[in-house]
């Protein structure tokens, strides 16, 4: 589970991160990463109904949160991350690897600027 302070809940914060952040994708997830002047790292998840029913969506969210938990410390302060799960995420055997890989690629691309 992610710490309470690391969770993104505001819709505007999601939109700003997606619109202005660097993105990277795999076949199972799309990761958006934006750098802000604020303190702390915040993460938001988007898992739509195309992924599956509620049980499957919640399982995918738990797997993504577990993968991100170990990566939070390595992100620069002020990072905002949105991970959007795609339909194949439900059957993925290496979802954690996809999440970490796309986060690393987005991190390399995000060094261009801050939101």
């Amino acid at each position: 589970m992610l710490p309470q302070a690391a969770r993104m809940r505001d819709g505007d914060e999601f939109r700003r991160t997606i619109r202005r952040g660097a993105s990277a994708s795999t076949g199972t997830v799309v990761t958006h990463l934006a750098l802000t002047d604020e303190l702390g790292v915040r993460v938001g998840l988007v898992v739509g109904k195309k992924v599956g029913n509620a049980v499957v969506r919640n399982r995918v969210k738990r797997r993504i949160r577990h993968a991100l938990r170990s990566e939070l410390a390595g992100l620069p302060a002020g990072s905002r991350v949105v991970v959007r799960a795609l339909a194949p995420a439900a059957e993925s055997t290496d979802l954690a690897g996809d999440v970490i890989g796309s986060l690393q690629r987005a991190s390399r691309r995000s060094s261009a600027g801050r939101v």
Side-chain angles (χ1 to χ4, degrees):
M1 171 133 338
L2 292 172
Q4 188 82 5
R7 295 186 200 160
M8 193 182 300
R9 296 186 189 269
D10 182 33
D12 288 334
E13 194 172 13
F14 273 87
R15 279 188 282 286
R16 280 193 308 269
T17 303
I18 290 170
R19 288 182 184 157
R20 296 188 182 128
S23 66
S25 65
T26 65
T28 58
V29 295
V30 177
T31 302
H32 301 272
L33 175 66
L35 300 175
T36 66
D37 293 330
E38 300 171 19
L39 296 177
V41 175
R42 293 174 54 96
V43 176
L45 303 177
V46 179
V47 182
K49 288 187 177 182
K50 288 188 178 184
V51 173
N53 63 24
V55 173
V56 173
R57 291 193 309 269
N58 286 328
R59 185 180 308 126
V60 168
K61 284 187 264 187
R62 283 193 303 270
R63 291 173 63 196
I64 292 172
R65 280 194 301 262
H66 182 73
L68 287 172
R69 193 170 147 190
S70 62
E71 299 297 312
L72 289 180
L75 294 172
S79 294
R80 299 296 180 258
V81 179
V82 173
V83 178
R84 183 169 51 94
L86 303 175
E91 289 88 30
S92 176
T93 57
D94 189 27
L95 185 58
D98 289 344
V99 169
I100 292 168
S102 67
L103 180 61
Q104 290 171 346
R105 281 196 307 280
S107 180
R108 287 191 296 267
R109 293 177 183 169
S110 72
S111 60
R114 295 189 175 269
V115 175

